[in-house]
Every structure is written in C-alpha cells, then in structure tokens.
Amino acid sequence: MRLRVFAASALALLSVLRAAPLAAQAPGTPDFNALLAAVDRRTNYGASDFSARLTLVSEDPSEGTETRNVRVFRRDRADTLLLLVLKPESELGQGYLRVDDSLWFYDPESRKFTHSSVKENFQGTDAKNSDFGLSSLAEDYAVAAHAEGRLGPHETWILDLKARHDETAYASKKVWITKKDGLLLKSEDYSLSGRLLRTAYYTSYARVGSSLVCDRFTYVDALVPGKKTSILMEEISLRPVPDEVFTKAYVERVNR
Amino acid sequence: MAILQLSDVHKTYPLGKTEVHAVRGVSLEIRKGDFVSIAGPSGSGKSTILNLIGCIDRPSAGSVRLGGVDTAGLSDRELTRLRHRVLGFIFQSFNLITVLDVYENVEFPLLLGRDVPKPAERRERVRRLIREVGLEQWERHKANELSGGQRQRVAIARALVTRPEVVLADEPTANLDSATGESILALMQTMNREFGTTFIFSTHDAKIVDLADHVVRLKDGLVAEEFRRGGAA
Amino acid sequence: MNQSMRIAVRNVGRQKKRTVLLAGAVGLGFFIITLSGSLLGGIAVSARRNFSAAFGGHLYFSGSVVSDRGSEIAVMADPGPLESVLAARSREIASIHRRSAAAGTLIFGPRELRQTLTGVDFVREPDFAGGLRIVSGSLDRRAEPGALVLPADAADRLGVRTGEALLFRASTVHGQRNVTELVLIATYEGQSGFGVSAGYASLGTVNSLLGLGSGEFQTLNVWLQDDRTIDATAERILADLAGRAPLEPREDEDPMRRMADRLLGGSGPRSVGDGERWEGTRYGLATLNDLMAQFTSILSIADALSFWVFLILLAITMVGILNSYRMVVVERTAEIGTLRALGLQKTGVRNVFLWEALFVSLYGALAGLAAALAVLALARTAVLPGGTVLSFFLDSGRIPFAVNPLETGRNLVLLCVASLAAASFPARAASRLPPAAALRAAY
Ligand SMILES: Nc1ncnc2c1ncn2[C@@H]1O[C@H](COP(=O)(O)OP(=O)(O)O)[C@@H](O)[C@H]1O
Ligand SMILES: [Mg+2]
C-alpha cells in the first residue's frame, strides 16, 4: 500500500502556501510573529475549497525514481480531503478519503474501503500529523534569531525558529521568507538532537484568483543522500467542490 | 445305576417350510462304565442323539437326564457348567484348537470353570494323559504338525483330562484309515477300563460296533435294536 | 491368565495379513495424531519460550501520562505504586526489567529499514548477553552510549557491518522528530522479519532518542517463576493496583496492539479526550498470553483438526474391524462350537473376540506411537538455519516436540473403547451361536 506513504507526503506538501500580500510592513525589523501568522493564514484555506492535480516525483537511491499523478480535493473548514490516484496505471483508482477523523482507503481491485485511524495511516511516512492539520508556525514556534540574506534573486528574512513546546514536529527550524511578499522560500527542519532532517524548497508560486499558491516545491532528505521528492501542482482551483465529492459513493463511482 | 437316561426324546429341525423329524421318540438308559456304540447308517440320527446327550442341543420333546439331573430346566450357563463337569468330547474332525500346542490343548479344559486345579496337579494330569496316548514327544507341537491319528489321541486326552463321567465321541474314526481307527478305539477301550469312564461313540462301521458292550442301533430316528454283550444284563 | 485372553493373544498372530492391515490402519491414525499433537505441543512450548525471550518477560507493564497539551505520553513517570505491588509479590517473580522502546528507521547510506530499538538497562541486567546467539561482533561494550546490537538479517539488509556507524530516526514520546547516530557492535540470530526481534541499545541511548531522562523508562517487564500462572498473577497484580493508580481498561481492545501502538507508534502521541484524562501515571498491562492469543488459537484449531482426522480414521478403522471380525466369526464357527462344547461360557467366547480386537488395536497404537517418536527423533537431529520466521517456532533451530502423556493416554483409551465397541457386534454374534449348529459347520 505504497499509496499511503505517498499520500502522506502529498498531504504534507499541500500544507504549503498560498501567498497574499503582508498586511503591514513596518520599516526595519518587522513583527516576525505576525510574519509567521501570515504564512499560516496563507496555508490554511479556511473558507474556500481547494482542488488541484499533483505530479509527484520521488527519487530514492535504493528504490529508484517514481512518478505519480493524483487529484486532490480539500475542504479545510470541515477537515475533509479526497485523493484519487491517476498514475501509475497499476494504482489507478485508488482513493484516500478523510472525513472528520476517519480515514478510508479505497482499493478498486477489491472494491472495498478499509478503515483506519489517522495515526495508523501516517505511520512510517515522512509526514507528521501536524503536517496534515492546519499550519501553526506562529503558535508552535518562537523566533530565536533572525538575519537577512539573499536566496537567489530574493531578499529574505532568515529566521531561526525554536519550538515553544515539545509536541511540535521539529524541535527547531530555519526558514527563509521574502521581504517583499512574505513568501516562504525555504525551510530547514531539525531534530531534537539538532541534526538537519530535511530541507524544503518552495520554488514557484502561482496566482490563483487574488492570491498566490506555491505550485512547485521539493523536499530533500538530509539523512538519506539522494532521496528527495518534487511536487508540481496544476489546475489549482479555489472554487467550491460539490459536497458529494467527499463521500465514499463518489470514490466508488469515479472508478466505474 | 444309570448315568444317562433318555425318555421318549424327539428332535425336529426346521427345514425351509417343513420340518425334519430327526429323532422320533427314543428312550435309552446307559450305565456308568458302559462302552456304548450308537450305530446306524448315515442320517439315522446318531449325531442328533449325541448332541442331545452332550447338552449342546435341546430335545423338542422328551427328557434327558444326565448324572441324575434333568437338563430340561437348565439355563445355557448351567448346561455349559454341567458339560464341563460331567462330559468329555471327541469329534469326527478332531477339533483341536489350532493356536494351542498339544500340551495346551489337553490342558485347556482344566483351565475353564471355577475350580481350576493347582499348577502342579494340572501338569501331572496333563503329562500323564499325554503319556497314556503316547504323544510325549509331541507335547510342544501344534495340531497341524500331527497326523489324523495323533490328533485324535490328543482329543482323547483332552476329553479325559477333567475326569468326566461320560465321554461322547461322534464318529471318532470316520476320518481315519481303518488301522488307525481300530487303534483309536482300542485306546478308548483301555481308558474305559482303566478309569471306568463311560464312552458313548457313534459309528456306521460294523467292525467297530463289535467292540462295544452296549449297542444301540438306530434307524430313521428310532431305536431299531438294542443289546448288551457279555453277561451285562 | 484368562483363557479367552490367551486364545485371543494367539489368534492375533493367526492371520498375519489381516492383523497387519487392521493394526496398520490403527497405527496410521495413532501415528498422525501423535505426530501432530507432539509437534503442535512442541511448537507451543518453543514459541512461548522464544516469544517471551524476544519480548523480555511474561508480563509487560506500560505507563503513560497526559501532557499539558492533552497528549498521551508513553513513559512510566511514577513507577512507585507498581514497584511496591510487585515487591509484595516477589516470591512469584523471577526478575523485573525496565525498558524503553523506539520504533523508527535505520539509515545506512542510501538504505533504510524499519526497526524497533529496545533500550536495556545493561547494568541491572547483567545476564542479558546470555539470551542472544551472537553472529558477529561482541556484546562487551553494549552499555556504552550509542552502541547498537541488531538481528543479523537486519544488518544484512542494510549492508552494515560491526564497527560501522549508522543513523536511527524516530519520534520522541512527545511526537517530535529525532535522530541519533549509533555504532553497530554486534549482530545476533534473530527474526527481524517477523517484527518481533528488536535491536538493542542501552536504556540511556534509547531514552535520549525518545526525549526521556536517563533514569526513566517506558515498560516494566516481569518474568514469573512459573509461566503457567501468567493470567492469574496478572489478575492479582491488577487487583492490588486498583485504587492505588489509574489503570488502563483491559478488555476493550487487543492490549498488545494498544501497547505496541503507544510504544511504537511513529506518528506521535494520541490526544486524550477531555473526559478521559487521568492524573499521574496510568498503568497498562499486556501479557505473553495476550500476545500469543491469536497464535494459541491457531494452534488449538490445528490441534482440533488433527483430532478430527484421528476420529475419522478411527471411524474408518472401526468399520474395518467390524467387517473383519464378522468374517472371522464365520471362519471360526466350528472352533466356537468346540470351545462351547469344552465348557467355555458365552461370555468367554465373546471375550475372545473383544480381547483380540483390543490387542490388535494396542499393537497398532504402539507401532504408530513408536513410528511417530522415531520420526520426531529423526527430525530433531536436523538443525534448520536460523534467522527466519520459522525459527520462532523451533527449539534453537531444531524441530520441537512434546509428547503429551495425558493426550496420548486419552487417544489410547478412545481407541480401545472404539475397538471394543466395533468388535462387540461380531463378538456378541459369536457368543450367541448355538453350540450344536456351530459344531456342524465345516471346519
Ligand atoms: N440342523 C439340521 N437341520 C435340518 N436337518 C438336519 C439338521 N441336522 C440333522 N438333520 C437331519 O436329521 C437327520 C439326522 O441327522 P444326523 O443326526 O446328523 O444323522 P447321522 O449323524 O446319523 O448321520 C438327517 O436326515 C439330517 O439330514
Ligand atoms: Mg453324524
């Protein structure tokens, strides 16, 4: 059931950002907490629905490169989510439906749903529970240090984040946020023991309606050399998704 | 005195839808120590009479008294005990127990019933009889290693080992050549004299009938002739 | 000796082919039931021993507390009440081990492998080393921080050799990502593929990975003096604990699964609903029997199945005995008449046949038993390669067997009763033959 692994990372990536201009930008040093809160707000779609087609390319030095296509529907205010696999052929039609706290995995071979708790499904994946929920950088992390620097052509704030409590996914992070738009460009995630676990690069933002959504990003595993995942989001839409999409009946029907 | 008394004994066998009247009113008295021959042609009822005397069959009518006991009222269990106590059997086909050797065959009847003699006495009696019938060399042989005459000698020893009052022998020589048959009869006669045991044997052989001192001649299930020889009134 | 019995004993050897056939059929049934029963019995014993060794005890107490944020944190923060209850029962207890465990991923170069890492207090468990069969390296430096012992097949899959360093990634008890560097000092013959064989490191190493203090631990494993008392002792200890500390309800779900979830769940702590929260350390208990419940039920199904096979073979054999002795009675009619004439009672004739059937069955059963024992003894001389799932059911690589005298006795009694029942019909018919009619039959 590799889909589960993959789904988890897809979910993790979805928690990335949609850009909106920063509300206020004071000259000199800004309110970093507000900066983080803005990033959080952008990541959480709140009132609107979200749908997109994702292409995931995962490179693993021992397992080779795999490409997957998946369609995702998301409604954060109801905590519901549907993933449908489009590629590879062998997994076409597999679905992954989250309604409230229940996760259902649909296998078109057996035409059956299997139920599992959220926890069980995300075991063994790169993703943390908090990745699937709402982003809460401002709530979970305090800015311990800040610096300014360039990342490619962008002027950025470089913030060292320290966890405010011991139940965050990472004990510390280092994030790069553009000064101009408040866009998250890069994040380094550290373990409790202070070791770099992964680096995320948010390389492209697309305008959807009135906001900016990150549509291309890459996770580089810092522990396993050569292991990384790149994601491309297309056909992004914030238009309402019909209610019936988030039902088992729909998952079955799409597969017929 | 009479050891055995048959009064107006009848025996009918069912045969399909009809009946065979094998014995049709026989009365007999046999004294202790007699050497009796039941003679008659085949089908005259000799075996039937011997079975009735031997308590292995019951008469259809009439009574059989054995050793002063009327057998009519006895159960199977009591009849078996009576047989064991009073009678010895010799068969036309010898009927040794094939899985036992000579010694064991002779000993076998001693081990049945309630009062089994002590081992020492048992051994003494068995050995003595085996010697009497001349089979000392054959003690540990099985029946199938013996000739017909030898088998019948074993049977005689077996019949006598319980010291019965009456020994019944249904055509004991029919399966033997005449010389052997005569020696068997001679042996029986010796035992009759030596132990005073009553012998009742059936035969259709006129030569053998002559050896008996009490002859009962049967014909069609009836006593055709009965006489005693040599002063025995 | 009883005369019927004597004749019967002799009769057994009379028609050798028939006796061999009947006894052979009985023997086959007895062979199968003894073989399967002994194998299953042996497997049950070995599996118990191997599982308890792998899990390090008979009773596994876990502790958990509710964090400020309402998450269930797997740590035995206050072992006091449990320890005092156990101290009061010290006579039933062989030893107590304090352990922590982390489920995570071993990383060596480009290779990754899921693995459970158990933290052992090597100072308080000096004889720990004796329980592992070392394949490479040595356990001498096991107490040093970062020293790692792995099942040999796990090391093989990672391609790591003793002396080399590797990474272990896991979550802290609070759910925070963590990683530490370890050095492989030894490998042992284990079955990591089965998910039971753990990697071992010092308690301190595992604790720091889990975000626990050096003196803390997650589970307290108890070895009992007598592993047959697991359930009873567990009940008594829980009763002793009631009122002294919060206890996890035991019946609601599979306790082993719940414990594994809590200890090994890689995705962080479960959040505890407002109504469910407790003060202090809550104890949970899982036992070796809980862990083996599924396995035990599979074994007892197999046991029941082989018993049914035995019963069916028995039924077939009984039909054989019934028919054979019907023929035997016909063959021996004249002999039956002779025995009756010589003074054997009806019951005596009946007993000849009953004894004979009984002896044939007993010979068969003995032969079957001997054959089964021979096969088992022969199988035991073979040593199967270790490190596979199979070895969990073996006795140090050998096929285990335990002949259960009680079960064997039961099967023997069953067999005798069935044989007697089957033979009783022809035996009764034989005893009821009228002697005169029987004698008239051709010899
Ligand atoms: N069991 C039996 N059923 C029917 N008829 C029988 C039976 N036994 C004997 N008979 C008949 O009874 C008659 C007497 O037989 P049996 O006593 O055997 O004569 P013997 O011994 O003198 O040859 C014969 O006609 C025989 O056919
Ligand atoms: Mg006749």
Side-chain angles (χ1 to χ4, degrees), chain C residues 191-204:
Chain C
Q191 297 85 33
S192 70
F194 205 50
V196 179
S197 288
Y200 294 100
S202 72
L203 186 60

mmCIF file of all heavy atoms in Angstrom, chain C residues 191-204:
data_model
loop_
_atom_site.group_PDB
_atom_site.id
_atom_site.type_symbol
_atom_site.label_atom_id
_atom_site.label_comp_id
_atom_site.label_asym_id
_atom_site.label_seq_id
_atom_site.Cartn_x
_atom_site.Cartn_y
_atom_site.Cartn_z
ATOM 1 N N GLN C 191 14.909 -12.619 14.302
ATOM 2 C CA GLN C 191 13.948 -12.653 13.213
ATOM 3 C C GLN C 191 13.303 -11.284 13.050
ATOM 4 O O GLN C 191 12.151 -11.100 13.355
ATOM 5 C CB GLN C 191 12.867 -13.700 13.479
ATOM 6 C CG GLN C 191 13.385 -15.101 13.559
ATOM 7 C CD GLN C 191 13.885 -15.439 14.954
ATOM 8 O OE1 GLN C 191 13.355 -14.957 15.942
ATOM 9 N NE2 GLN C 191 14.899 -16.258 15.042
ATOM 10 N N SER C 192 14.070 -10.341 12.584
ATOM 11 C CA SER C 192 13.504 -9.004 12.480
ATOM 12 C C SER C 192 12.361 -8.998 11.479
ATOM 13 O O SER C 192 11.446 -8.201 11.556
ATOM 14 C CB SER C 192 14.576 -8.008 12.062
ATOM 15 O OG SER C 192 14.938 -8.243 10.729
ATOM 16 N N GLY C 193 12.389 -9.938 10.530
ATOM 17 C CA GLY C 193 11.333 -10.002 9.526
ATOM 18 C C GLY C 193 9.986 -10.249 10.154
ATOM 19 O O GLY C 193 8.952 -9.863 9.623
ATOM 20 N N PHE C 194 9.977 -10.866 11.280
ATOM 21 C CA PHE C 194 8.736 -11.184 11.959
ATOM 22 C C PHE C 194 8.254 -9.990 12.769
ATOM 23 O O PHE C 194 7.173 -9.998 13.312
ATOM 24 C CB PHE C 194 8.984 -12.373 12.874
ATOM 25 C CG PHE C 194 7.775 -13.161 13.166
ATOM 26 C CD1 PHE C 194 6.952 -13.595 12.142
ATOM 27 C CD2 PHE C 194 7.449 -13.485 14.472
ATOM 28 C CE1 PHE C 194 5.829 -14.327 12.413
ATOM 29 C CE2 PHE C 194 6.321 -14.219 14.742
ATOM 30 C CZ PHE C 194 5.513 -14.652 13.704
ATOM 31 N N GLY C 195 9.075 -8.971 12.844
ATOM 32 C CA GLY C 195 8.682 -7.767 13.567
ATOM 33 C C GLY C 195 8.808 -7.905 15.064
ATOM 34 O O GLY C 195 8.352 -7.059 15.812
ATOM 35 N N VAL C 196 9.396 -8.995 15.512
ATOM 36 C CA VAL C 196 9.491 -9.209 16.949
ATOM 37 C C VAL C 196 10.905 -8.937 17.450
ATOM 38 O O VAL C 196 11.098 -8.329 18.481
ATOM 39 C CB VAL C 196 9.060 -10.640 17.313
ATOM 40 C CG1 VAL C 196 9.200 -10.857 18.812
ATOM 41 C CG2 VAL C 196 7.625 -10.868 16.880
ATOM 42 N N SER C 197 11.871 -9.387 16.704
ATOM 43 C CA SER C 197 13.244 -9.230 17.164
ATOM 44 C C SER C 197 13.646 -7.763 17.103
ATOM 45 O O SER C 197 13.574 -7.127 16.060
ATOM 46 C CB SER C 197 14.190 -10.049 16.295
ATOM 47 O OG SER C 197 14.000 -11.403 16.578
ATOM 48 N N ALA C 198 14.058 -7.276 18.231
ATOM 49 C CA ALA C 198 14.387 -5.868 18.318
ATOM 50 C C ALA C 198 15.878 -5.666 18.124
ATOM 51 O O ALA C 198 16.669 -6.600 18.215
ATOM 52 C CB ALA C 198 13.972 -5.339 19.691
ATOM 53 N N GLY C 199 16.226 -4.422 17.845
ATOM 54 C CA GLY C 199 17.596 -4.021 18.019
ATOM 55 C C GLY C 199 17.754 -3.629 19.480
ATOM 56 O O GLY C 199 16.779 -3.294 20.145
ATOM 57 N N TYR C 200 18.953 -3.717 19.994
ATOM 58 C CA TYR C 200 19.157 -3.364 21.392
ATOM 59 C C TYR C 200 20.215 -2.275 21.519
ATOM 60 O O TYR C 200 21.201 -2.263 20.787
ATOM 61 C CB TYR C 200 19.597 -4.590 22.201
ATOM 62 C CG TYR C 200 18.531 -5.644 22.291
ATOM 63 C CD1 TYR C 200 18.560 -6.762 21.463
ATOM 64 C CD2 TYR C 200 17.487 -5.510 23.198
ATOM 65 C CE1 TYR C 200 17.584 -7.734 21.539
ATOM 66 C CE2 TYR C 200 16.494 -6.476 23.285
ATOM 67 C CZ TYR C 200 16.540 -7.586 22.454
ATOM 68 O OH TYR C 200 15.570 -8.524 22.535
ATOM 69 N N ALA C 201 19.924 -1.353 22.442
ATOM 70 C CA ALA C 201 20.909 -0.338 22.790
ATOM 71 C C ALA C 201 20.744 -0.091 24.276
ATOM 72 O O ALA C 201 19.838 -0.637 24.908
ATOM 73 C CB ALA C 201 20.655 0.948 21.995
ATOM 74 N N SER C 202 21.612 0.709 24.831
ATOM 75 C CA SER C 202 21.465 0.956 26.266
ATOM 76 C C SER C 202 20.205 1.777 26.513
ATOM 77 O O SER C 202 19.740 2.523 25.641
ATOM 78 C CB SER C 202 22.694 1.691 26.802
ATOM 79 O OG SER C 202 22.662 3.024 26.323
ATOM 80 N N LEU C 203 19.670 1.621 27.695
ATOM 81 C CA LEU C 203 18.452 2.346 28.056
ATOM 82 C C LEU C 203 18.666 3.846 27.887
ATOM 83 O O LEU C 203 17.794 4.565 27.390
ATOM 84 C CB LEU C 203 18.072 2.011 29.508
ATOM 85 C CG LEU C 203 16.752 2.570 30.015
ATOM 86 C CD1 LEU C 203 15.588 2.049 29.186
ATOM 87 C CD2 LEU C 203 16.553 2.219 31.492
ATOM 88 N N GLY C 204 19.852 4.322 28.274
ATOM 89 C CA GLY C 204 20.140 5.749 28.168
ATOM 90 C C GLY C 204 20.098 6.232 26.720
ATOM 91 O O GLY C 204 19.551 7.293 26.409
#
